[in-house]
Amino acid sequence: MSVHAALVRPVFGTPRGRHAKPRATWPRVAVRTLFLLCAVISTGAVVGAGWPPVLLVVPATALVLLVAGVVKLRTAARKIDTIFAEELSRETPAENGVSVEIS
């Protein structure tokens, strides 16, 4: 894909990455359903075994921190993509016919 075609393409709502292709949503839905089912079974096992429910705090906190880290990483990548798109859309001095002296 050329630079100009990449600049014309909308930034939000599109797959990220150089070779990204639209993906089906059913795998994500299936994984989320399995995760929630696993969480319910784990909670039931902890409560059923008579263990204190406080034991679920550590894995829940780790999961929240992991999700927050992924969200921050995606936001940073989006900002970097925006900066590169802005830089690529500007005209260079060579395109303007201005001579640039390198010292």
Side-chain angles (χ1 to χ4, degrees):
M1 176 183 290
S2 71
V3 174
H4 298 292
L7 290 173
V8 171
R9 194 177 63 180
V11 176
F12 298 107
T14 58
R16 303 282 183 250
R18 186 172 179 189
H19 302 291
K21 293 182 175 68
R23 297 183 302 177
T25 57
W26 71 266
R28 285 180 281 167
V29 173
V31 168
R32 288 175 185 165
T33 304
L34 286 174
F35 177 77
L36 288 174
L37 183 64
C38 183
V40 168
I41 290 171
S42 298
T43 304
V46 167
V47 171
W51 297 337
V54 147
L55 293 176
L56 295 172
V57 170
V58 173
T61 304
L63 179 66
V64 167
L65 291 175
L66 177 69
V67 169
V70 169
V71 168
K72 283 188 174 187
L73 184 64
R74 290 183 71 184
T75 303
R78 213 174 279 133
K79 287 180 181 178
I80 291 170
D81 287 345
T82 304
I83 291 169
F84 281 142
E86 288 174 0
E87 289 295 323
L88 288 173
S89 65
R90 294 183 187 161
E91 291 184 7
T92 61
E95 292 172 349
N96 292 335
V98 177
S99 63
V100 178
E101 186 176 320
I102 301 174
S103 55

